[in-house]
Amino acid sequence: MRVLLLSDIHSNLEALEACLAAAPPHDMVVNLGDVVGYGASPNEVIERSRGLGNIFVRGNHDKAASGAMELKDFNPIAGLAALWTRDQLNPENLKWLRALPQGPVQVSELPGIQFVHGSPMDEDEYVVTLRDAIEPLLTPAHP
């Protein structure tokens, strides 16, 4: 099974289209989150992304723009972008964004694989160091 992984599109429709144009053949698309944030086309990116498949993990910008988290941990620019994005979203896309699943997400066709936005231990935790990457591998799997 060939999986196309998309992540951190951040409402950038042009970048999404460029990635799709350059993508190799694939059987499934998995989106690892941050569909929205920063860019000027949140509704268009959500609609295009939804047309590619139905496997998504929510990202921190998805949570922020949908109102599912407080903005206190965001830097001021990211916070303003989240608020602007929220104002741009149509009701259907806002509802869809709020319903995105928290990672890790598992897919029946790919047993033993977890899809996450951040760490499998905490969806909002960045994986920056080697220790950050190794720790979840040494910890029993999360459901």
Side-chain angles (χ1 to χ4, degrees):
M1 164 115 12
R2 298 167 297 180
V3 179
L4 175 62
L5 294 175
L6 297 174
S7 184
D8 295 270
I9 298 164
H10 289 288
S11 302
N12 187 333
L13 184 61
E14 294 78 11
L16 173 58
E17 294 297 350
C19 288
L20 294 173
H26 50 277
D27 304 304
M28 173 187 296
V29 177
V30 176
N31 191 307
L32 301 177
D34 283 355
V35 176
V36 299
Y38 299 122
S41 306
N43 288 300
E44 296 84 351
V45 167
I46 287 173
E47 290 158 16
R48 181 71 168 107
S49 297
R50 290 177 73 181
L52 297 171
N54 61 358
I55 303 169
F56 290 85
V57 179
R58 74 178 176 193
N60 54 326
H61 288 264
D62 302 326
K63 286 173 56 178
S66 70
M69 70 179 287
E70 293 184 29
L71 300 177
K72 64 181 174 58
D73 293 329
F74 267 48
N75 72 57
I77 301 297
L80 287 172
L83 293 172
W84 180 87
T85 298
R86 190 180 307 163
D87 288 343
Q88 303 309 305
L89 291 170
N90 66 44
E92 179 185 341
N93 286 337
L94 181 60
K95 181 180 176 182
W96 177 83
L97 208 58
R98 286 181 176 149
L100 286 175
Q102 175 180 344
V105 168
Q106 296 178 312
V107 178
S108 60
E109 296 91 344
L110 300 167
I113 296 175
Q114 295 181 341
F115 296 101
V116 298
H117 179 73
S119 165
M121 298 174 72
D122 180 346
E123 68 177 340
D124 295 326
E125 183 177 309
Y126 287 102
V127 178
V128 178
T129 67
L130 182 58
R131 180 176 181 197
D132 295 340
I134 291 174
E135 185 177 0
L137 297 174
L138 300 176
T139 303
H142 294 70

